[in-house]
Amino acid sequence: MTVPDETLLEALRGLDTPTVCNALEVVAPKRRGYGYTVDPLVCTRPELGSTVGYARTATIRAMHPSDLAGAEARAMRDGYYSYVDDGPKPSVMVIQDLDGESRGYGSFWGEVNSNIHSGLGCIGLITDGSVRDLPDVAEGFQMLADRVGPSHAFVHPVGFGTPVTVAGMRVKDGDLVHADQHGAVVIPHDVAEDVPGAAAAIARREAVIIQASQEPGFDMARLRQAWGDAAEIH
């Protein structure tokens, strides 16, 4: 895995997630139909813009207490947070709720966990579970979740570091994830450096069509001309 440098990460943060999806259709055309969220998620802080980081994956349950207790439960907790602290940063947690139709029964996320994760280099979360404590979540910490709820119930980690599927998006440990208020997408490492350039070319072509559509007297003839002009831009 080639880890993008900060310059590339900053360029990716300057794009919204739909634009990244558009760019991936150009640089990784086989990815057109997968690799992004397809179920709606609540974005708790859309004003933060785009979040880009390396995936840390985990699974949780909340309907019933953990099967682990005592030393085993403490070992699981310690192992989970050690995993969060390891690997490239900034990181983004991608957590699958295993409670099925009752996912979101209890929230793993609120004031305390957001601050712990933030302190360990994590800048955001994508989950099909629930979140809470919205006014008190760590500064700058983004959350995309299936829902907002009031309780943590019996929530506990079940595992970590294995592939998960959240809102239809399959994610592995270390994947580069881009997210904003629209949802999230995995950027393959081998094409990440090509995404900003492809996005810029798409924007140039779209600008020709948008500008034409805003002209007085715009009609089908002008639209066909704009399509042709846009096709010449590379």
Side-chain angles (χ1 to χ4, degrees):
M1 179 181 74
T2 301
V3 178
D5 62 22
E6 180 56 34
T7 300
L8 176 55
L9 292 179
E10 185 62 29
L12 293 172
R13 282 192 285 268
L15 304 173
D16 61 33
T17 303
T19 297
V20 172
C21 288
N22 289 349
L24 287 174
E25 292 175 8
V26 175
V27 301
K30 292 182 179 180
R31 287 285 308 277
R32 187 183 187 101
Y34 69 96
Y36 54 88
T37 55
V38 295
D39 297 327
L41 295 174
V42 176
C43 178
T44 62
R45 290 173 165 173
E47 70 278 4
L48 292 180
S50 297
T51 298
V52 184
Y54 304 96
R56 303 286 198 278
T57 61
T59 54
I60 60 170
R61 291 188 186 277
M63 289 188 69
H64 306 287
S66 173
D67 293 332
L68 304 179
E72 289 183 321
R74 291 191 294 273
M76 169 62 79
R77 181 184 64 184
D78 185 87
Y80 169 80
Y81 288 108
S82 294
Y83 166 68
V84 174
D85 192 33
D86 289 338
K89 298 175 183 179
S91 62
V92 174
M93 297 307 306
V94 185
I95 295 193
Q96 182 177 354
D97 191 319
L98 299 180
D99 279 330
E101 293 184 358
S102 296
R103 66 184 185 277
Y105 192 93
S107 174
F108 191 65
W109 294 93
E111 180 180 13
V112 174
N113 244 341
S114 66
N115 276 280
I116 291 174
H117 285 74
S118 179
L120 295 176
C122 182
I123 57 175
L125 157 74
I126 303 163
T127 183
D128 57 2
S130 62
V131 295
R132 64 177 194 160
D133 296 341
L134 300 190
D136 303 312
V137 166
E139 183 177 357
F141 193 85
Q142 181 62 280
M143 300 192 298
L144 276 69
D146 182 77
R147 67 194 70 187
V148 176
S151 175
H152 53 56
F154 298 105
V155 74
H156 57 277
V158 176
F160 50 86
T162 59
V164 297
T165 300
V166 171
M169 179 179 69
R170 182 75 165 170
V171 182
K172 305 186 303 298
D173 173 74
D175 279 346
L176 184 62
V177 178
H178 190 289
D180 70 3
Q181 62 183 322
H182 302 92
V185 63
V186 174
I187 302 175
H189 286 284
D190 59 350
V191 298
E193 65 181 9
D194 301 324
V195 169
I202 292 170
R204 290 193 296 270
R205 290 192 288 270
E206 290 179 342
V208 171
I209 297 171
I210 293 170
Q211 181 178 349
S213 71
Q214 295 174 346
E215 295 172 357
F218 177 72
D219 56 13
M220 275 305 303
R222 182 69 181 93
L223 177 57
R224 294 187 184 105
Q225 179 187 350
W227 280 336
D229 293 341
E232 297 301 317
I233 297 175
H234 300 285

